[in-house]
Amino acid sequence: MDQLPVFRFRPRRFRLTPYRLLLPRTTLAVHQVLGPRKVRVLLETFASYTLHRSLMLVRRPLAVLLLAGATLLGSCTTVRQGEVGVKRTLGRLDEQVVLAGPKAFNPFLSTIIKVPVTTQNLEIRSSLPSREGLSVGSDISILYRVKADQVPALLQTTGLGYENILILPVFRSAAADVCARYFAKDMHSAERAVIEKAILAQMNEVLTARGFEIENVLLKNIALPAGLAKAIEDKLESEQEALRMEFLKQRETRDAERRVIEAEGQKRIAVVRAQGEQEANIIQARGKAEAMRIEAEAVRLTNQLLNRDLTPAVLQYKSIEAFRELSKSPNSKTIITGGGSTTPILNTLTQ
């Protein structure tokens, strides 16, 4: 049986310059993170416990082993956008926060605690007390944000379970205090916005100093007790019926007023029409009277003119003209006159 070669430890000092030129970029990055001293110790450790001297002559396997050892000695994490990190070394929290980006640390001695600083939505189901002593169920959304500069103090005093330790107890206390001032029906009406603002203000009074900013408190899906909900529905139906009757009453009143206005309008139209007919008759009578007067005046003037112009000679001439026209008729006739100056003319005509 062949005897294995005896290993004898020979301390040897390695130079980093040849290995630095032959190592890949990943190993160089480890070299930059760990520092020259730790890399030198690592190389000497591998050289001391090598089973065969030929292993030291192989450069590439040595680089692989070096990278594996460096991984055990160092690690890296990434703090994402919307988060801040706090480094904890041997149980002690660093007062400085780690902003977004890569961060190297020793996994055996340190760790980085990540805390989101964006707006978070904490949804719960809770029963809210009312002024009359009823319990009103509701789905609640608490929108809150952790202040980045106070994350170390928050982790130091509260830890990562701050939702159950701080936010929920403070909310329940504030909700019980505020909701007890209002009736159950108010939580189902426009007063709900006032209740939400009051709870928000009371929570901020307590949590602002602890590194929180409560942005909004939303009460959703209000569930009233069955008896109260039925009573409210009956009341609403009664109010709706009363409003409907009031509407019908107002409509009938408006219809009656409209008919009165129409009757008044018809009456005024009839009065105006009668007055118009009366005035028309008066105007017509006045016109007829004026026409008769004018006609009488014309007759009078005509008679005056005739009396002025009809002299005896003219009358005698007109009589002669009339007898002459009568004499032209072929019918037999007897003309009787009153005598006087016309007789000679008749005698002349009869010859």
Side-chain angles (χ1 to χ4, degrees):
M1 186 173 180
D2 297 335
Q3 184 178 2
L4 295 176
V6 180
F7 174 74
R8 295 179 181 178
F9 176 73
R10 295 181 181 180
R12 182 179 180 182
R13 191 173 186 84
F14 291 91
R15 296 182 181 180
L16 294 178
T17 303
Y19 289 96
R20 186 182 181 94
L21 296 176
L22 297 176
L23 293 178
R25 295 184 178 179
T26 307
T27 309
L28 291 178
V30 174
H31 177 271
Q32 293 177 358
V33 172
L34 299 179
R37 184 172 177 276
K38 289 185 178 181
V39 173
R40 184 180 297 106
V41 173
L42 180 63
L43 293 176
E44 291 178 354
T45 302
F46 277 111
S48 301
Y49 291 95
T50 303
L51 296 178
H52 198 273
R53 181 173 299 181
S54 61
L55 183 63
M56 298 299 300
L57 302 178
V58 182
R59 306 291 179 84
R60 187 173 299 275
L62 180 61
V64 175
L65 294 177
L66 179 62
L67 180 60
T71 304
L72 296 175
L73 295 178
S75 183
C76 181
T77 187
T78 300
V79 179
R80 301 182 182 275
Q81 184 178 3
E83 297 178 339
V84 294
V86 177
K87 187 177 181 180
R88 182 172 60 190
T89 304
L90 297 177
R92 186 176 60 84
L93 292 174
D94 193 355
E95 296 181 356
Q96 298 295 328
V97 296
V98 178
L99 301 179
K103 179 65 176 179
F105 64 97
N106 189 343
F108 297 102
L109 302 178
S110 304
T111 184
I112 293 181
I113 304 174
K114 302 176 185 178
V115 178
V117 293
T118 56
T119 300
Q120 303 295 315
N121 181 15
L122 177 59
E123 293 188 356
I124 60 173
R125 177 74 179 179
S126 178
S127 296
L128 305 176
S130 63
R131 185 173 181 179
E132 59 266 41
L134 299 176
S135 295
V136 180
S138 175
D139 293 332
I140 300 105
S141 290
I142 304 174
L143 304 181
Y144 71 94
R145 184 176 62 86
V146 179
K147 298 180 180 179
D149 56 342
Q150 298 187 23
V151 169
L154 176 63
L155 295 177
Q156 184 71 32
T157 57
T158 306
L160 292 176
Y162 46 79
E163 288 187 349
N164 296 323
I165 297 175
L166 282 179
I167 298 179
L168 288 180
V170 171
F171 165 76
R172 290 190 176 95
S173 176
D177 186 21
V178 174
C179 294
R181 309 172 194 168
Y182 296 87
F183 293 102
K185 64 179 182 179
D186 296 334
M187 303 179 191
H188 206 271
S189 62
E191 295 293 331
R192 181 170 58 182
V194 179
I195 297 174
E196 292 174 348
K197 292 180 179 179
I199 297 175
L200 173 66
Q202 193 161 338
M203 290 183 67
N204 277 325
E205 290 180 0
V206 179
L207 296 177
T208 300
R210 303 299 299 271
F212 295 95
E213 180 182 354
I214 307 300
E215 297 179 352
N216 209 340
V217 176
L218 304 176
L219 304 181
K220 306 177 295 182
N221 300 328
I222 302 297
L224 299 177
L228 179 60
K230 185 64 171 59
I232 292 177
E233 290 179 0
D234 294 340
K235 180 181 179 182
L236 292 176
E237 290 180 359
S238 301
E239 291 178 353
Q240 293 296 326
E241 184 66 20
L243 291 175
R244 190 178 69 86
M245 296 302 297
E246 183 67 22
F247 173 76
L248 293 177
K249 179 181 177 181
Q250 293 178 358
R251 187 179 66 179
E252 293 296 333
T253 303
R254 289 194 298 268
D255 291 341
E257 292 176 353
R258 180 179 56 81
R259 288 192 292 270
V260 170
I261 293 173
E262 289 180 355
E264 290 290 337
Q266 295 294 334
K267 179 180 177 181
R268 292 180 181 179
I269 291 174
V271 171
V272 172
R273 184 178 298 170
Q275 291 178 354
E277 292 178 356
Q278 182 180 3
E279 292 178 357
N281 293 331
I282 293 173
I283 293 172
Q284 186 177 3
R286 288 178 180 176
K288 290 181 179 180
E290 186 67 21
M292 292 176 64
R293 187 185 65 79
I294 293 173
E295 185 178 359
E297 185 69 22
V299 172
R300 186 181 65 80
L301 292 175
T302 302
N303 291 333
Q304 288 180 359
L305 292 175
L306 290 176
N307 291 332
R308 186 185 64 184
D309 296 335
L310 292 178
T311 59
V314 174
L315 292 174
Q316 186 177 3
Y317 174 75
K318 293 293 185 180
S319 298
I320 294 172
E321 288 292 331
F323 287 135
R324 182 176 294 173
E325 292 293 331
L326 289 173
S327 63
K328 293 179 181 179
S329 176
N331 299 325
S332 59
K333 48 192 169 293
T334 301
I335 300 173
I336 299 174
T337 64
S341 59
T342 60
T343 303
I345 298 174
L346 292 174
N347 291 335
T348 304
L349 293 174
T350 57
Q351 291 178 357

